[in-house]
Amino acid sequence: MRLTKIFRRNLLELLGITAVLATLLIGCKKGETKREANTEIATKQEAETKEQTTKSEEENKEEENKEEESVSTSQIDFDALGVKPYQYPKEFILEEDLKDAIIQLGISYDMFDQEVVFSQDWKEQFVDRFLKNSRSSNAYLKQMAEKNQGLVTIPEINYMQYSLTNLKIDFAPYIKETVNSYENSSSLNYGTITNYTYKLTEEGVCVTAELEVGSDGMTGTRKRELTVNLIKNEYSCFNGYSICSLTSKALDNIIKPDHKEHIIYGDDMEMEEDGVFCFECTGSEDDLCYAHFVYLDLTELPELAEFVKNNPKSRFKVTYNLDQELTNPIDRIVPSDITLEK
């Protein structure tokens, strides 16, 4: 009996010790979990802080680069460049040099502003579009090029870019000494301003223009509407104005059906997939705009498909009906007739 009581007492003491140890163990685990959570939070905060610091440093560096480019050409010697102040007419006129500059930007960008000017590829774009473009020039560029067999210097390039944008960029890091303006790097696109209106603003002039855009290897033209914000710059070689911003939007993305027959001419490229044949468009009998390559859908016209296959590499006359909306420029049609061009 006494032994039983002693055994019970020892058992209760043992259970009490076990409970204490369990409590301590749980506390330790909670402490470890809390420390792990705190460590994870601290690591995350440190990563976020580092990311923000890196981003801030990159932004500051970008701003410093802009400032360095601007400061390096802050003094343009207009006398040494042979530039005189522009004499403004009584009323605004969109003269040829400025008009041509607007066309080049209008066929190159949907949106043009200072962000483009400070982008990495602007210098290359400016050289190709405004210095080496056989379809585009200005009186000052022609004058300087004629003096030096087509070569234009860095100060002259800096000046012309400043004339265009009213922002000062140094081309010295990009160009060694000169650029040969007689080297041709013209794009496939070209354009014509057919009409324009303008209104005077506090900053200068806002021009709204209709632009017709064509491309080598493509028949017809596409229409775009330009909105151009100009600022007076009396030393600008673009008729006394710089272009602050420009937006260009398509006016004729869709060609409406007229339910008439239309005719195009094209060379078979011997490229066919699932009944669709690729032709290189060589001309048309209308004023619609066709892509360089036009795809003929003959999936439901096995006889015409067989005719094309039997006359590979031939030039064809293709007739189709404009009975549904087509994208502009037209790059896919369903013919109603195909014959060999005579």
Side-chain angles (χ1 to χ4, degrees), residues 44 50 115 118 120 141 154 172 175 179 194-195 225 297:
K44 186 176 181 181
K50 186 175 180 180
E115 294 299 320
F118 287 119
Q120 292 183 350
L141 174 61
I154 290 175
I175 297 169
V179 166
T194 57
N195 189 27
E225 180 183 84
D297 186 349

Side-chain angles (χ1 to χ4, degrees), residues 237-265:
C237 61
F238 296 99
N239 307 123
Y241 287 92
S242 296
I243 300 173
C244 294
S245 66
L246 175 147
T247 57
S248 174
K249 65 178 183 179
L251 293 179
D252 51 1
N253 283 330
I254 300 298
I255 296 176
K256 299 292 184 181
D258 60 9
H259 305 289
K260 296 179 181 179
E261 280 193 348
H262 292 263
I263 295 173
I264 67 169
Y265 299 91

